[in-house]
Amino acid sequence: MYKVFISIFFFSAIGFGQDRIDSLKQNLKKAHFSDSLLCDSYVSILRFYRNENADSCKVYFDRFFNYANKEKSNTAFYQYHRLKADYFGLFNESKGNTYSFINTNLLEALEYAKKIDDSKQIFKIYSRLTQENARFGKEEEALQYAKEAEAISLTYNLPEETAYIYGQIGKIYNLGFGKTDMALEYLLKSDSIYNTYHFEGYQQGFTLTFIGDVYESFEDYEEAKAYNESALEVFKKAENKYQQNFIYGKLGIIESKQGNFKKAIEYIQNALSYYKTYDYPIQESVFLLLLSDIYLKNGQIETALQKGQEAILVSNAHGDTYGLMKAYLNQAKIFQQKKDYIHSNLFALKAEPLAKEMEFYEELEEIYELLFLNSENIGDYREAYHYSNEHRRVNDTLAARENLQKAKEREAKYQTEKKKQEIALLTAQKELISKQKENQKILLLGGLGVTTLAGTFFFFLYRNRQKTHRKLKELDTAKSNFFTNISHEFRTPLTLISAPIEKRLEDGNLSKEDRHDFELVERNSKRLLHLVDQLLDLAKLESGNLTLKIKEGDLSAHLKSIAASFEHKATIQNLKYEVSILDSLKGYYDTDALEKITINLLSNAFKYVTPPGCIRFFAAVENKQLLLQVENDGEISGSTSLEDVFNRFYQKDENREGVGVGLALVKELVSLHQGIINVANTPKKTVLFEVLLPISKESFTESEIVGTTETAAKVFATKVEEVIIPKTEGEAVIDENAAVLLIVEDNDDIRNFIQSAFTSQFQVITASDGEEGIKKALETVPDIIISDIMMPRVSGLELCKILKNDERTSHVPIVLLTAKAEEETQYKGLDTGADDYIVKPFKIKFLETRVQNLVTSRKQLRERYSQEVVLKPKNIAISRIDEKFIEKVQTVLDQYLTKPDFTVEDFSDQMGMSRMQLHRKLKALTGVTASELIRNERLKLAASMLKESDVHVSEICYQAGFNNPSYFAKCFKEVYGCLPSEYSQQ
């Protein structure tokens, strides 16, 4: 029983609210939505109805299949078959052979996952096949699928998936084959990967509980309990109720083995209640059998039979053949223990054909043993003899299968060794024949043969070198891509460092000491950003995309400003720092490249000098070349060449820190200048780096020379502005009519920081990813949106595209944030309709200004509404969709405005929006609410009629849609400053 329980792998259920489901249903009607978004919507709806309404779930399964057929969508087919395997209980064709139904659909899903060419989805299906085959006792097949999953995770470098599948393999070796040594090997590797990469989530919980299984097999129940309790904490932290109840079941089994039946029953009943509530029939049946087994051990035979009967009913109702067979077998065992051999036989005979059909010989062995003993106790020796023979036959089959497996293993080992020997023999024979032929050719052809051999040798040598060069180039490209990607990742935390410091420096009440410290942090955060950019530059250099930008300028001023930035560091480290830069050094140079060369050489010197050592920096011009010398006390030791220090991450021994990429970048930049760099240990026991760079105009091409540089480096000459805008103390009170700002950002720190910057000016709402951002934008219709680009589920670009094409939010300005500084990425953002694009790290004041400018521009557009008789889309709207919206508003008003019973609710119904959405949209475009717009349009119509006709005022009142003349007169006077009768006389 315990083995059956462990073989089951559980899946967590996802809950949704009805509002969320209604929104997803609306998504299905949006033809312009992407295939992935529509597939995700179908999946979410199916998960919701799985627990809420089985009939609705089947309806949406049919719709999903029709969609997949219509669009020929591999993604849709993949998700359809994957979920069909999950929710097998809904389908009549699964009745009678659950395993076949689940396996067939998973294999279908696998084929579509391969067509999509998504390694993670392929892995997911292989791991599901592993779990399902293990659950049905097919350990060989389960292990085969697990090995396929392992190959995928290793090939595509998926460490989290590797850790997960190692846990599954460990479980199979332990529970399926009883090989605890191999099981522990895989399980410990799995746990090690989880701990090394600090993966968050519930996956590590599986490995911990499987390790607990191994200790349980050793009968070390306290250790088994400890590992399962650790797994329980992981699942609780991940808020995974499903797996928490799975662990309760395991703890119940352990407590039962220790004789703590009361506690065991409590654990199992809690879990059983969960699986009943959320309709998991297989799990419910297994837990009922576990409960039956515990009651039996506790001497409560009648209760054990009752729970076993409930398991039969559940399995039968859901067509779970395997569960039904196990439930029948369970009842047969209990009745035999009760010495009711007749009923024991009845249930054993029900289990027999099911076990035969599924070829479950281990269960058949138990069944025939029960039938043999029951018949013997009844006195039916003829039947006893028959079942004794059947029991022996099945036993022999099991033994034969085990021997066959061992024989296959030995055969495989023998064939492998034999092939190795054959290959070695053939290789030796070929070498011998080749040698003989070669000797014959040498004797026959003489010098010609030698020449031919030499040519062949050099050809292959050249070809091998070419292959090696190509492989090294591919490796360098991969490294460059790594540096580029990790550099982008650094920009987000840099924003969180630099932006709060800049905001703090604006405080006029800051003390002198605090200001000095904050300025120091600000300078170094900027330097850190430059270091990040070095990684990008190195990648550009290696790909040939970095070119020189040569300008004429003052070298002395530039180098002095760079050198001065290290004075504070020298003071702190108690180092002697000598700078000698000759005056009036002028020439042509690349400002950025010179900064990077100088900074990296000085940084390296400071890094490796020991206090109270000395660092010397010298600069002069010799023969139209700039000479830079950076010298520090110490020496470069080791047997390798001094030039190795220019290799990336060079480390002379494991006890010393490596050089990183700085010196490698220096060498590449010097080479780009056609310059020279040398390093040497001097007799004075110092390390000297010497650089020669050409600085004459004729040394560079016309395309490289771009103008005149500035006289000093802006990056290192950080000045504090004299005029500081003081911040008012205390919390600002937000006007309820203040503009609404939506912040969509998956990084919690960035999101909270931006929110704190705008809370005094806006009503701020937040979302942690693009999908949630779309939902909140459509619900609240904000005045402006700030969104990150790279987010899970739905990116900022997709969010922008969806909202800009939705009538309800097309007018809302969107500011995109990103860590990617490339122009191509910016173009993509602006192409989707974004109103602004800001690169991380950014200054918070800069972001505040851009946001305020966008809000102000929208206010100016609203002022155009003014006193026009009719709405003019071209004057008000800011996009094609907004123009259509205004035209639709005008059409509705033209049709219903003069009807006195036309209300805001009617207006919103006609527009296909909620009252709040219509209110926010109109307020944003026209500056007035829906009710104010109706009233104003009626007044405009009345004013026009008063000017153009002689009809009585009261009649105009009713024609314009008012049903109360006194109220009409009051409203008219508020807007036009006079009564309607006076207005008609003007």
Side-chain angles (χ1 to χ4, degrees):
M1 177 56 60
Y2 175 50
K3 181 178 175 181
V4 176
F5 171 76
I6 294 299
S7 296
I8 295 180
F9 182 83
F10 296 92
F11 301 90
S12 54
I14 299 175
F16 298 96
Q18 186 61 52
D19 291 342
R20 165 74 170 143
I21 293 304
D22 291 341
S23 175
L24 291 171
K25 288 180 181 179
Q26 290 299 317
N27 287 352
L28 300 183
K29 299 176 182 178
K30 306 286 178 64
H32 62 274
F33 275 11
S34 67
D35 179 53
S36 62
L37 192 59
L38 290 171
C39 286
D40 288 345
S41 297
Y42 271 114
V43 170
S44 297
I45 291 170
L46 288 170
R47 284 177 176 166
F48 173 78
Y49 282 126
R50 163 70 176 79
N51 296 322
E52 299 294 327
N53 189 316
D55 290 335
S56 295
C57 190
K58 285 190 278 188
V59 168
Y60 275 95
F61 257 114
D62 290 339
R63 292 182 183 178
F64 197 11
F65 181 76
N66 291 336
Y67 168 80
N69 263 328
K70 179 182 176 183
E71 301 298 328
K72 306 299 180 189
S73 167
N74 291 327
T75 301
F77 277 122
Y78 160 74
Q79 295 285 20
Y80 170 81
H81 286 291
R82 182 178 68 82
L83 285 177
K84 200 171 179 184
D86 285 355
Y87 306 157
F88 64 90
L90 295 172
F91 302 94
N92 290 328
E93 58 263 39
S94 74
K95 309 297 183 187
N97 200 338
T98 310
Y99 168 75
S100 176
F101 181 85
I102 293 174
N103 222 46
T104 300
N105 276 285
L106 287 177
L107 290 172
E108 285 284 349
L110 179 63
E111 291 304 311
Y112 287 108
K114 289 178 178 178
K115 289 179 182 178
I116 299 168
D117 195 23
D118 187 327
S119 57
K120 288 196 174 184
Q121 301 302 343
I122 295 171
F123 171 87
K124 186 181 292 185
I125 297 301
Y126 273 127
S127 64
R128 277 292 315 279
L129 285 163
T130 299
Q131 296 144 16
E132 292 299 337
N133 278 272
R135 180 165 73 85
F136 284 99
K138 298 182 180 294
E139 287 84 5
E140 291 291 342
E141 292 86 345
L143 188 59
Q144 182 181 344
Y145 286 125
K147 291 294 185 181
E148 293 284 355
E150 179 190 9
I152 293 291
S153 67
L154 293 175
T155 301
Y156 293 96
N157 191 24
L158 306 173
E160 188 169 10
E161 283 75 5
T162 302
Y164 174 75
I165 203 61
Y166 279 163
Q168 294 296 314
I169 293 172
K171 179 191 73 171
I172 295 168
Y173 274 127
N174 180 38
L175 301 173
F177 298 103
K179 297 180 179 180
T180 52
D181 53 341
M182 295 188 70
L184 266 179
E185 179 186 342
Y186 277 98
L187 291 171
L188 293 175
K189 282 198 293 185
S190 171
D191 194 43
S192 175
I193 295 172
Y194 281 124
N195 291 328
T196 300
Y197 286 89
H198 304 292
F199 289 126
E200 293 184 358
Y202 62 87
Q203 300 285 18
Q204 189 176 12
F206 295 116
T207 293
L208 292 171
T209 188
F210 296 151
I211 295 175
D213 295 341
V214 175
Y215 279 104
E216 191 174 345
S217 68
F218 296 154
E219 296 185 3
D220 187 345
Y221 298 125
E222 291 305 317
E223 198 69 21
K225 196 185 299 183
Y227 271 101
N228 275 293
E229 286 170 349
S230 296
L232 183 61
E233 290 304 312
V234 172
F235 293 135
K236 283 183 177 179
K237 186 178 178 182
E239 297 182 357
N240 191 324
K241 297 283 187 184
Y242 193 98
Q243 300 301 342
Q244 290 174 40
N245 285 280
F246 170 52
I247 299 300
Y248 288 146
K250 286 198 170 187
L251 290 171
I253 291 169
I254 295 170
E255 294 290 354
S256 172
K257 288 185 176 182
Q258 290 182 301
N260 303 324
F261 298 118
K262 184 177 179 181
K263 198 167 184 180
I265 291 169
E266 183 181 341
Y267 273 129
I268 300 295
Q269 284 180 333
N270 284 340
L272 182 60
S273 174
Y274 175 84
Y275 293 124
K276 278 184 177 179
T277 302
Y278 292 99
D279 192 20
Y280 290 97
I282 289 179
Q283 293 81 350
E284 183 183 349
S285 174
V286 170
F287 272 75
L288 284 167
L289 292 179
L290 282 173
L291 203 54
S292 173
D293 187 55
I294 295 170
Y295 279 124
L296 181 63
K297 289 177 181 176
N298 198 32
Q300 297 172 265
I301 295 180
E302 294 304 322
T303 310
L305 285 171
Q306 178 190 339
K307 296 302 175 185
Q309 185 60 34
E310 289 179 27
I312 290 172
L313 294 174
V314 171
S315 298
N316 198 32
H318 293 86
D320 182 6
T321 309
Y322 179 72
L324 189 60
M325 183 268 292
K326 297 297 291 188
Y328 284 148
L329 182 55
N330 176 76
Q331 295 295 83
K333 289 178 180 178
I334 298 174
F335 274 115
Q336 187 185 69
Q337 189 165 331
K338 193 181 176 184
K339 297 185 178 179
D340 186 345
Y341 305 117
I342 300 296
H343 281 93
S344 178
N345 259 11
L346 288 174
F347 282 104
L349 289 170
K350 288 183 178 181
E352 181 195 12
L354 299 179
K356 277 184 175 179
E357 180 186 347
M358 293 182 286
E359 296 183 353
F360 278 22
Y361 289 99
E362 289 182 3
E363 282 77 6
L364 271 174
E365 184 185 25
E366 290 184 74
I367 291 167
Y368 286 132
E369 184 177 11
L370 283 168
L371 290 169
F372 156 62
L373 293 173
N374 287 339
S375 299
E376 192 174 55
N377 282 300
I378 293 169
D380 191 344
Y381 298 109
R382 184 173 181 178
E383 286 295 301
Y385 176 75
H386 166 70
Y387 288 123
S388 174
N389 287 334
E390 289 296 309
H391 178 264
R392 190 181 302 108
R393 181 181 60 79
V394 172
N395 217 337
D396 290 343
T397 302
L398 285 171
R401 289 176 69 180
E402 185 177 349
N403 291 334
L404 180 61
Q405 181 62 33
K406 289 179 180 178
K408 284 181 178 178
E409 291 175 0
R410 286 194 293 269
E411 175 70 15
K413 187 176 181 181
Y414 167 74
Q415 290 296 341
T416 301
E417 292 297 326
K418 184 179 177 183
K419 284 180 181 178
K420 285 181 180 178
Q421 292 174 1
E422 288 176 352
I423 290 170
L425 180 62
L426 287 171
T427 302
Q429 289 175 344
K430 286 181 179 179
E431 287 177 354
L432 180 61
I433 293 169
S434 177
K435 194 69 176 177
Q436 289 173 343
K437 289 182 178 179
E438 186 179 339
N439 289 335
Q440 291 172 358
K441 287 180 181 178
I442 290 172
L443 291 172
L444 293 171
L445 301 176
L448 179 62
V450 173
T451 305
T452 303
L453 286 172
T456 304
F457 169 76
F458 285 116
F459 169 74
F460 282 108
L461 180 64
Y462 170 77
R463 191 173 68 175
N464 287 336
R465 283 181 177 174
Q466 288 293 98
K467 286 182 179 179
T468 303
H469 175 72
R470 186 166 62 253
K471 289 292 182 184
L472 288 173
K473 190 173 181 181
E474 290 173 1
L475 182 60
D476 282 341
T477 301
K479 289 180 181 177
S480 298
N481 290 337
F482 167 74
F483 291 140
T484 302
N485 293 334
I486 201 170
S487 298
H488 288 312
E489 291 298 321
F490 284 150
R491 288 181 176 270
T492 293
L494 276 174
T495 299
L496 293 171
I497 295 170
S498 59
I501 295 299
E502 290 164 1
K503 186 177 181 182
R504 197 78 179 88
L505 283 170
E506 292 177 4
D507 188 352
N509 299 321
L510 207 59
S511 68
K512 185 177 180 180
E513 292 79 8
D514 287 345
R515 184 171 298 282
H516 178 270
D517 291 341
F518 282 131
E519 287 171 355
L520 178 64
V521 176
E522 183 186 38
R523 282 197 301 273
N524 282 279
S525 68
K526 289 179 179 178
R527 283 196 56 207
L528 182 56
L529 178 60
H530 277 267
L531 292 173
V532 169
D533 289 337
Q534 284 181 351
L535 290 169
L536 292 171
D537 290 338
L538 197 56
K540 289 179 181 178
L541 276 166
E542 293 182 340
S543 62
N545 293 325
L546 187 65
T547 57
L548 294 174
K549 296 178 181 178
I550 303 298
K551 301 177 183 178
E552 184 181 15
D554 188 340
L555 281 163
S556 298
H558 199 94
L559 291 171
K560 285 177 181 178
S561 79
I562 296 173
S565 68
F566 285 85
E567 290 175 357
H568 181 67
K569 189 170 186 177
T571 303
I572 293 174
Q573 295 184 9
N574 191 28
L575 298 172
K576 187 177 180 182
Y577 182 37
E578 297 176 357
V579 178
S580 177
I581 301 173
L582 298 183
D583 293 331
S584 304
L585 300 181
K586 296 188 180 295
Y588 286 83
Y589 61 96
D590 185 315
T591 306
D592 186 56
L594 182 62
E595 285 174 5
K596 287 166 182 169
I597 291 170
T598 309
I599 290 168
N600 276 293
L601 289 175
L602 285 171
S603 297
N604 184 72
F606 274 88
K607 185 176 182 181
Y608 290 102
V609 70
T610 304
C614 180
I615 296 167
R616 303 167 191 86
F617 178 38
F618 174 77
V621 172
E622 296 180 358
N623 299 324
K624 295 184 179 182
Q625 289 185 310
L626 174 64
L627 170 65
L628 297 177
Q629 291 180 336
V630 177
E631 186 177 9
N632 65 273
D633 291 348
E635 62 179 352
I636 300 174
S637 59
S639 58
T640 56
S641 169
L642 289 177
E643 296 296 320
D644 286 340
V645 299
F646 296 115
N647 296 333
R648 280 186 225 165
F649 307 113
Y650 166 72
Q651 189 175 13
K652 72 178 183 180
D653 62 62
E654 62 182 12
N655 299 317
R656 295 294 300 272
E657 190 177 0
V659 299
V661 298
L663 291 180
L665 178 60
V666 168
K667 186 174 182 181
E668 294 290 344
L669 288 171
V670 171
S671 298
L672 189 64
H673 279 81
Q674 304 299 316
I676 300 171
I677 183 169
N678 290 309
V679 59
N681 288 322
T682 70
K684 298 182 295 181
K685 291 190 176 180
T686 62
V687 178
L688 175 64
F689 283 86
E690 191 172 80
V691 176
L692 280 172
L693 296 175
I695 56 171
S696 61
K697 187 174 183 179
E698 56 270 18
S699 300
F700 305 101
T701 64
E702 290 184 6
S703 61
E704 291 173 332
I705 299 173
V706 295
T708 304
T709 190
E710 298 176 15
T711 58
K714 294 186 292 182
V715 174
F716 301 97
T718 306
K719 283 184 73 176
V720 181
E721 295 292 337
E722 296 295 329
V723 181
I724 304 290
I725 302 174
K727 296 285 184 180
T728 57
E729 297 296 328
E731 283 191 25
V733 178
I734 302 297
D735 182 1
E736 63 180 8
N737 294 319
V740 176
L741 167 65
L742 170 60
I743 301 169
V744 189
E745 167 66 65
D746 62 320
N747 185 289
D748 294 339
D749 292 331
I750 292 278
R751 185 173 67 252
N752 295 334
F753 176 70
I754 297 174
Q755 181 180 5
S756 67
F758 286 97
T759 48
S760 62
Q761 311 160 53
F762 294 87
Q763 298 181 60
V764 180
I765 55 177
T766 62
S768 58
D769 58 55
E771 186 173 317
E772 184 185 358
I774 292 171
K775 178 184 176 184
K776 288 192 174 181
L778 294 175
E779 287 175 352
T780 61
V781 191
D783 294 284
I784 189 165
I785 298 172
I786 299 174
S787 175
D788 189 20
I789 285 186
M790 297 182 69
M791 295 184 293
R793 296 202 289 184
V794 178
S795 70
L797 293 175
E798 195 167 355
L799 172 142
C800 186
K801 183 178 179 181
I802 290 171
L803 295 182
K804 285 294 184 180
N805 285 284
D806 193 296
E807 189 179 68
R808 294 165 287 184
T809 53
S810 56
H811 66 285
V812 179
I814 299 176
V815 179
L816 293 178
L817 307 177
T818 186
K820 290 192 173 183
E822 292 86 350
E823 289 185 357
E824 183 181 351
T825 308
Q826 298 182 33
Y827 293 147
K828 286 181 180 178
L830 296 173
D831 284 345
T832 60
D835 297 83
D836 213 336
Y837 191 102
I838 297 178
V839 179
K840 298 176 184 177
F842 52 81
K843 294 186 177 182
I844 196 64
K845 193 70 180 175
F846 177 73
L847 178 61
E848 289 176 354
T849 303
R850 301 294 277 268
V851 169
Q852 287 290 0
N853 286 344
L854 285 170
V855 172
T856 301
S857 68
R858 293 305 187 272
K859 287 181 180 177
Q860 292 171 349
L861 285 169
R862 289 200 295 267
E863 290 172 1
R864 297 184 184 180
Y865 173 61
S866 186
Q867 297 292 323
E868 296 293 331
V869 174
V870 292
L871 297 172
K872 293 185 177 180
K874 294 292 181 185
N875 290 339
I876 300 172
I878 56 172
S879 70
R880 178 183 57 82
I881 293 175
D882 288 337
E883 289 178 17
K884 288 186 175 181
F885 172 79
I886 294 296
E887 289 171 356
K888 187 176 179 181
V889 168
Q890 188 64 63
T891 301
V892 172
L893 291 178
D894 288 346
Q895 185 174 355
Y896 296 101
L897 187 65
T898 57
K899 296 181 179 180
D901 58 349
F902 180 62
T903 64
V904 174
E905 286 75 12
D906 298 329
F907 194 3
S908 60
D909 287 343
Q910 291 297 323
M911 293 300 297
M913 295 181 177
S914 70
R915 180 170 179 168
M916 186 279 295
Q917 288 170 336
L918 180 62
H919 167 85
R920 297 285 302 158
K921 180 81 175 181
L922 288 173
K923 190 78 173 174
L925 289 178
T926 66
V928 296
T929 65
S931 58
E932 290 171 340
L933 179 66
I934 294 173
R935 189 195 67 175
N936 291 353
E937 291 298 308
R938 282 172 172 168
L939 289 173
K940 289 177 187 179
L941 178 60
S944 175
M945 294 170 68
L946 286 168
K947 284 287 188 182
E948 298 173 2
S949 68
D950 297 329
V951 181
H952 193 270
V953 171
S954 60
E955 189 174 342
I956 287 176
C957 162
Y958 293 113
Q959 289 180 1
F962 289 93
N963 54 13
N964 189 320
S966 61
Y967 175 70
F968 166 65
K970 176 177 176 292
C971 293
F972 195 93
K973 187 172 183 180
E974 286 177 0
V975 175
Y976 293 97
C978 62
L979 292 171
S981 56
E982 296 171 345
Y983 184 84
S984 63
Q985 301 301 320
Q986 293 178 2

